[in-house]
Amino acid sequence: QLRLVESGGGLVQSGGSLRLSCTAHEITSLALYAVGWFREAPDKEREGVACLSIYEGDAYYADSVLGRFTISKDKVWNTVYLEINNLKPEDTGVYRCAALTQFTPRAMCVEKIGDFWGQGTQVTVAS
């Protein structure tokens, strides 16, 4: 069974950058999946911020992060990264990754769906 583990969160100043990682365990490749990053904050609905089809390489970004977030994969298709630049206080939240088959990245992010979920990594942006 696929297991996802996130890392890379932390406390940063507004305007700073972070790189989050989502690593797959129990399988050797995420080739069959779309992988997405989702943000969860108190009193806010879960938001799909960036999703990527691993094999095709197609990416989708939420409007709120377009131009600041970049989703990418490593060379062996085992880890998915989320590069976050120009962090804002409203980016604060728990960032969880998820994996899903048979859906486009856009559908995954917009519908906020996943078959497998990680526990998340906390990102806190100080103003």
Side-chain angles (χ1 to χ4, degrees), residues 75-90:
K75 292 181 179 179
V76 296
W77 297 1
N78 179 255
T79 298
V80 174
Y81 303 104
L82 185 68
E83 189 85 28
I84 310 175
N85 296 310
N86 189 21
L87 277 157
K88 304 176 181 181
E90 52 263 40

Side-chain angles (χ1 to χ4, degrees), residues 3-10 18-23 25 36-41 46 82 84 92-99 116-124:
R3 185 166 60 92
L4 300 171
V5 179
E6 303 94 335
S7 61
L18 281 174
R19 188 175 80 158
L20 308 183
S21 298
C22 170
T23 300
H25 296 267
W37 283 97
F38 298 81
R39 179 167 63 200
E40 300 176 348
R46 175 186 290 169
L82 185 68
I84 310 175
T92 294
V94 175
Y95 284 71
R96 299 178 70 188
C97 65
F116 303 95
W117 292 84
Q119 292 299 306
T121 185
Q122 175 72 43
V123 172
T124 303

